[in-house]
């Protein structure tokens, strides 16, 4: 039903779609990254191709493929971690689940749906935080902590946050200002052994 070149094309496309999503997850140091997403997507495509092949013998092509949707839950559960009241890894688990769907669509030859879903997933993984900050800005508060760099500083800050039940959603570490002086109307700032002069 599906010729050899079409099979190879579908598997290559599935690995590309999964790899693109995996690269995004890898770039943010998530538990399931580049290789995992490729394997999920290409494996789902292969299962779909096997289902199509089995339909020649009167089997229902959706039966084997349907098991992917429920089976991927076991892999996704391995990426979900609970630390105190905070749960991490749900987005990665969801991206694995979507990758399985993309693989099934590619294996079926539904290229437009697979390609568009890949682009949509990449867009929302990259830019969803911008929408969250814009529409939920009243739900979040900014907090700036300035301290001298030393061993265990981050741990101490985390302990204080925990004491007051503060859950950080985005942490940005900037260079620590080592020296701040005002000389003859010029503000001199020493940042990591680099001196910057600003007219006051």
């Amino acid at each position: 039903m599906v010729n050899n070149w079409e099979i190879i094309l579908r598997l290559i496309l599935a690995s590309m779609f999964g790899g693109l999503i995996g690269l995004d997850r890898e770039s943010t140091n998530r538990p399931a990254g580049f290789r995992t997403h490729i394997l999920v997507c290409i494996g789902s495509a292969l299962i779909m191709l096997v289902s199509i092949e089995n339909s020649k013998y009167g089997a229902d092509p959706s039966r084997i493929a349907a098991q992917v949707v429920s089976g991927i839950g076991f892999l996704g559960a391995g990426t979900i971690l609970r630390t105190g009241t905070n749960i991490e890894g749900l987005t990665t688990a969801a991206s694995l689940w979507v990758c399985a769907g993309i693989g099934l669509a590619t294996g079926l030859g539904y290229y437009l749906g697979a390609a568009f879903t890949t682009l949509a997933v990449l867009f929302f993984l990259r830019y969803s935080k911008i929408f969250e900050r814009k529409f939920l800005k009243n739900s979040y508060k900014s907090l700036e902590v300035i301290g001298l760099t030393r061993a265990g500083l981050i741990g101490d800050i985390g302990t204080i946050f925990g004491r007051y039940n503060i859950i950080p959603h985005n942490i940005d570490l900037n260079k620590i200002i080592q020296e701040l002086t005002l000389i003859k109307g010029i503000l001199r700032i020493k940042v990591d052994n680099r001196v910057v002069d600003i007219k006051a």
Side-chain angles (χ1 to χ4, degrees):
M1 295 181 74
V2 181
N3 65 55
N4 292 339
W5 290 111
E6 185 75 12
I7 290 170
I8 293 168
L9 173 66
R10 291 182 187 186
L11 292 173
I12 289 172
L13 283 174
S15 64
M16 288 171 58
F17 293 149
L20 287 170
I21 296 171
L23 278 174
D24 178 83
R25 297 283 81 197
E26 189 88 36
S27 68
T28 53
N29 292 320
R30 298 302 171 192
F34 181 64
R35 289 179 296 178
T36 308
H37 282 78
I38 286 178
L39 291 174
V40 166
C41 206
I42 199 170
S44 301
L46 178 63
I47 290 168
M48 193 67 203
L49 286 165
V50 170
S51 299
I52 292 168
E53 190 67 23
N54 272 354
S55 67
K56 290 194 300 187
Y57 307 105
D60 181 4
S62 64
R63 287 190 68 185
I64 299 175
Q67 301 309 309
V68 173
V69 179
S70 57
I72 196 67
F74 290 102
L75 190 60
T79 66
I80 300 171
L81 302 170
R82 181 172 178 172
T83 51
T85 58
N86 203 17
I87 297 174
E88 297 177 352
L90 285 172
T91 304
T92 303
S95 70
L96 285 170
W97 184 78
V98 172
C99 254
I102 291 168
L104 290 173
T106 307
L108 187 62
Y110 188 45
Y111 303 130
L112 179 62
F116 183 79
T117 303
T118 302
L119 292 174
V121 168
L122 287 171
F123 175 80
F124 287 113
L125 284 175
R126 280 280 169 192
Y127 301 109
S128 61
K129 288 184 179 177
I130 296 171
F131 292 106
E132 286 175 9
R133 289 193 196 111
K134 185 173 182 180
F135 295 108
L136 302 173
K137 60 184 176 184
N138 295 331
S139 302
Y140 297 99
K141 303 293 180 190
S142 294
L143 177 65
E144 185 176 1
V145 178
I146 300 174
L148 297 174
T149 50
R150 61 174 174 78
L153 175 64
I154 302 299
D156 290 344
I157 293 170
T159 303
I160 294 167
F161 282 3
R163 189 181 305 153
Y164 293 99
N165 201 25
I166 298 171
I167 301 171
H169 289 281
N170 189 20
I171 298 174
D172 185 18
L173 298 175
N174 294 315
K175 294 177 180 178
I176 300 298
I177 296 173
Q178 295 172 337
E179 189 179 315
L180 187 66
T181 53
L182 187 63
I183 304 169
K184 295 181 181 178
I186 297 175
L187 183 66
R188 176 161 288 177
I189 303 171
K190 189 177 181 184
V191 183
D192 288 352
N193 298 319
R194 184 170 59 89
V195 176
V196 179
D197 287 345
I198 302 170
K199 288 185 180 180

